[in-house]
Amino acid sequence: MSVLLMRLAGPLQSWGSTARFVRRTTENAPTKSGVLGLLAAAQGRRRDADLSDLAALEFGVRIDQPGTRLRDFQTAHHSDTLKAMPLSERFYLADAVFVAGVSGEAALVQRLYEALLDPVFLPYLGRRSCPPAEPITIGEPLGKGLEQALCEAEWEASERYRERRAASFRRRGGTDSDAVHLDLLLDSPPEDRPDITLRDLPVSFDPRHRRYGLRGIRTLRASVPAGTGSPPPPPHEPTTLLTPVTPRTA
């Protein structure tokens, strides 16, 4: 078995499991159907393609930075008649960061990793209007269990968020070495009683008849040191790429 970890970070994300008609809600964390749809798109699978191999993958997600919920109202018109469509209410997660993982047969997981490096269709975070802000791949597939991989992965929250959390610890008398407790959502084994259930197990993405099954989820906590995390990107200074202009002499 092999595990592929993914960083899901962007200005906006939206992971709906019951979103229909004019009210499009979002869950507080990426759904299995949304992440598997991202992987299927990276591989170039069409919406009516077989999903049984992807649906069989074990799925989990860690909430590194929960973000804030945002509500938006959208209008649209029919392209042919220009008739106004009903006003829709859409919800997003703003400034959120997650670490998601899938576990399964090593050859399949390797193909998914390679597809993310060179996707056929551009990935997005739940909706087409939500592009990722950072590369999705964290590293090559790992030869360990999914729960262990998610617990051991570096904290991917933004530097500003980590600084705010550290300041909050210090105000409460803690130190930067204190652990941060992060929520984990993992597939529940069929024989166990799940903590929650969600209808986000994809059966078909065919727009003529989308189908999803129920998925059991168990909730855990992972602890990471408050000071850990990926290093911040280097500062961007566009003028360093410009060729110096030599002053003209009289």
Side-chain angles (χ1 to χ4, degrees), residues 33 197-204 210-216:
S33 58
T197 58
L198 206 61
R199 189 172 291 279
D200 70 339
L201 181 63
V203 178
S204 173
R210 293 188 178 92
R211 290 178 292 158
Y212 305 92
L214 284 173
R215 177 174 67 99

Side-chain angles (χ1 to χ4, degrees), residues 26-160:
T26 179
E27 301 296 332
N28 292 328
T31 58
K32 187 169 185 175
S33 58
V35 174
L36 294 187
L38 182 154
L39 293 172
Q43 285 191 308
R45 301 194 191 195
R46 299 293 173 176
R47 288 186 176 271
D48 57 355
D50 179 34
L51 299 173
S52 57
D53 58 338
L54 297 183
L57 293 169
E58 184 184 3
F59 174 73
V61 61
R62 192 182 73 187
I63 303 176
D64 282 29
Q65 184 173 322
T68 56
R69 191 173 293 266
L70 181 149
R71 182 174 65 172
D72 185 34
F73 291 98
Q74 296 186 9
T75 60
H77 291 77
H78 289 282
S79 59
D80 50 355
T81 64
L82 300 182
K83 182 180 179 181
M85 299 175 67
L87 182 70
S88 64
E89 185 181 21
R90 305 192 180 215
F91 293 82
Y92 300 88
L93 296 175
D95 197 29
V97 181
F98 306 97
V99 175
V102 292
S103 174
E105 194 267 329
L108 172 60
V109 172
Q110 180 66 29
R111 292 196 298 271
L112 294 175
Y113 168 69
E114 294 171 356
L116 287 176
L117 296 178
D118 186 19
V120 177
F121 300 114
L122 293 178
Y124 49 86
L125 306 179
R127 293 199 187 124
R128 292 188 183 91
S129 59
C130 303
E134 302 179 28
I136 290 177
T137 55
I138 294 178
E140 295 185 357
L142 305 170
K144 58 179 67 174
L146 177 59
E147 182 179 340
Q148 179 185 357
L150 286 171
C151 288
E152 295 178 353
E154 289 188 341
W155 192 20
E156 293 293 338
S158 68
E159 183 182 17
R160 184 179 64 176

